[in-house]
Amino acid sequence: MTLTVPRAAAAVRRPGPAAAPHSGRTAAALRLLVLAAALLGVLLGGAAPASAHAALTGSSPAQGAVLQKAPAQVSLSFSEGVSMGDDSIRVLDPKGKRVDRGKLLDLCSGSTVKYGTGLPPGLPDGTYTVAWQAVSADSHPVSGAFTFSVGAPSKSAAVVPQQEAGGGLVGALYGIARYVAYAAFALLVGGACFVLACRPAAALSRPVQRLVVWSWAVLTGATIVLLLLRAPYTGSGDLADVVDLAALKAVLGTKAGGALISRVLLLAAAALFMAVLFGAYARAEEEGDAKRHKDLAFGLGVGGAVVAAGLAATWAMAEHASTGLQTAVAMPVDVVHLLAVAVWLGGLTTLLVSLYRGPVVERAAVHRFSRLAFGAVLVLVVTGVYQSWRQVGSWGALTDTAYGRLLLLKAGLVVVLVGIASVSRRWTGRLAEAAADTAGSVPEQQTAPEPAPVAAGTDTKAADTRTADTKTADTKTAAANAADTGTHPVDTSPERAAQLARQRAAVADARRKRVRDADPVRYGLRRSVLAETGVAVVLLAVTTVLTTTEPARTEESVRDSGQFAEAARPVSVNIPFDTLGPKGKGTARLDLDPARTGQANVLHLRISAPDGSARDVPEVRVSFTSKAKNLGPLRATLQHTGTGHWTARDVQLPAAGSWQLSLVVRTSDIDQVTETRNVKIS
């Protein structure tokens, strides 16, 4: 099964123009890994905090509303299902004191997700703050705050958490653990699949064994960390709460907690799988027991597929696929998508380890992985297109939303990865051609022919080329000669024997690397696979960020609802006027609060004389016109509430944008003026 290497090539070729020196390869590998790490840092550093995937789409009272009397309750509407408790909605009065009844009201009906809390009667006038926190159906925390006023706005001493839910140190640690878990899952599943489906001899390779076992250990550790961080991640944000047993018990009852516990149990089954894979299966491969090898391969294939699918399902059951459109289809598709990622990227990493750290990889194994990776890419494309449609929904959302832009970046990285993979396939084809050219004419040999033994006492430079067996024989001969002639005896202690063993191992390893580097085809294959792995690291980072980014469908629905529009700012305008009659000069001050569409705005109009004193006039009129929307004029119904003071409490402006405010002031029966100003309504 091993690839034959021509004697001449093995004996004569040295690293040169056809095969770069070892230091050059190392520098290239380091540059690629540094570039991948830099891109990863840019992606994770530039990503927004883990925004939840349930979004607030409405509230009653609305944000910034000014009410004539206090409401009986406060209610919140969400874009998807959320988990909330009695403390999830808190209403604070202007002094910062909590005034809600402390009991969550479930107001959900059909597809409407709505929760609220009751308020006591007789609340005084002023500005009230509503702070809320919840966990969305896809396991991500969401929080926010807004204000409304009773009677008139006032100063507020209410203090709300400045840290977004899922942010801070706990959020950063949780995000790192998520990425590590994804990467370890890919290496575990992809490495095991590479051994079973592509190169059974890799079960005997110590580097491959270490890769798979360490991946299992890292995935187990990351899962436990996620489980411990879950309570502070979705709650207080305090890292000390990881040791809160009551909070941990509450987490175990949630969907995300159940998924993490299921993952731990499945990893126990995966440990048994690895024990058989690198135990009985490896021994059968080493001993050449074909029947036992075949039986074990079948059992490991079926059992491993079940365990791998179960592990992938622990992500699908608690993240994007578990909520939204077509969950019955989306969850199985997500499982298949994750498995395809693991087979491709995890298998790619295992191949890279085999090419750099293990013995010469058979060309048949490289061909088998090439076909397997091609099938995985096809599956990724099909499942990825479905997931993109489900989460994005429209072409415009690809560029107008953060999720869409990240998805385009991911698609671009996949294209780059496929392009590099095509280069690897060409190197694989050249590998087969080189083998075909040498087959039948050169016997199988992986190392250069050993030079003839050199007698003791020859030049040390020539002695350096002797084989380990010759060196050992010469050592014994020298010891015997020393005993006969009375010269100093050669050290034959166990320490010296161990030292010689290490030297022989180093010589053998150097010879293996020299032969390996003398093959330009394999050298090209290793470089292209290394480049694939570097891009795969960044691709996996983008995928992790996508799972913590609000889907484009949700972002667009929230944007359409206007809930997260730019914060409304009251409009204040001073308008000097002159009707050209007696006492015709003055100033009108107009205040519109909160200057927002879709709710009642309160308008205050005050007229003052040139000396600043309040004065009445026979008539004032105010109207609004939107030329861009072809709306208006919409007249405000003013009520005289005091000397020089008029109020309108139900000014409705149906569209955001620039509006023309028209003020008519009449100071006598015949003296009148009209002034206009542009105001912005959000």
Side-chain angles (χ1 to χ4, degrees), residues 393-457:
S394 66
W395 291 108
L398 286 173
T399 55
D400 295 341
T401 64
Y403 187 94
R405 291 188 289 271
L406 278 172
L407 191 62
L408 289 176
L409 176 59
K410 178 182 177 180
L413 288 171
V414 170
V415 171
V416 172
L417 199 56
V418 171
I420 300 175
S422 66
V423 176
S424 298
R425 287 175 65 87
R426 286 199 294 270
W427 281 116
T428 302
R430 295 179 185 178
L431 192 66
E433 293 172 1
D437 292 340
T438 58
S441 60
V442 180
E444 289 194 3
Q445 184 169 329
Q446 295 183 8
T447 62
E450 298 177 0
V454 181

Side-chain angles (χ1 to χ4, degrees), residues 15 19-31 516-517 523:
H22 180 73
S23 59
R25 293 196 315 273
T26 303
L30 287 175
R31 285 195 297 270
R516 181 194 70 184
D517 296 340
Y523 176 69

Side-chain angles (χ1 to χ4, degrees), residues 639-657:
Q639 294 181 349
H640 188 255
T641 56
T643 302
H645 186 194
W646 289 261
T647 302
R649 292 191 174 275
D650 191 19
V651 180
Q652 299 282 348
L653 300 175

Side-chain angles (χ1 to χ4, degrees), residues 316 320-322 325-335 386-387 390:
H320 282 171
S322 63
L325 299 173
Q326 302 178 354
T327 55
V329 177
M331 291 180 67
V333 168
D334 197 48
V335 169
Y386 171 77
Q387 289 178 327
R390 183 172 175 271

Side-chain angles (χ1 to χ4, degrees), residues 287-432:
E287 296 169 359
D289 190 340
K291 183 178 184 305
R292 188 181 178 211
H293 184 274
K294 182 178 180 181
D295 293 341
L296 287 172
F298 177 79
L300 288 171
V302 174
V306 172
V307 173
L311 288 172
T314 62
W315 275 279
M317 68 184 290
E319 294 191 352
H320 282 171
S322 63
T323 184
L325 299 173
Q326 302 178 354
T327 55
V329 177
M331 291 180 67
V333 168
D334 197 48
V335 169
V336 174
H337 188 82
L338 285 172
L339 291 176
V341 170
V343 169
W344 184 18
L345 302 186
L348 185 68
T349 305
T350 310
L351 174 61
L352 181 67
V353 169
S354 300
L355 288 171
Y356 273 91
R357 300 292 298 170
V360 176
V361 179
E362 307 85 357
R363 66 180 184 278
V366 178
H367 276 289
R368 283 193 290 267
F369 175 73
S370 180
R371 291 193 296 268
L372 183 65
F374 181 76
V377 170
L378 292 180
V379 172
L380 279 175
V381 171
V382 174
T383 56
V385 168
Y386 171 77
Q387 289 178 327
S388 300
W389 166 82
R390 183 172 175 271
Q391 299 294 352
V392 176
S394 66
W395 291 108
L398 286 173
T399 55
D400 295 341
T401 64
Y403 187 94
R405 291 188 289 271
L406 278 172
L407 191 62
L408 289 176
L409 176 59
K410 178 182 177 180
L413 288 171
V414 170
V415 171
V416 172
L417 199 56
V418 171
I420 300 175
S422 66
V423 176
S424 298
R425 287 175 65 87
R426 286 199 294 270
W427 281 116
T428 302
R430 295 179 185 178
L431 192 66

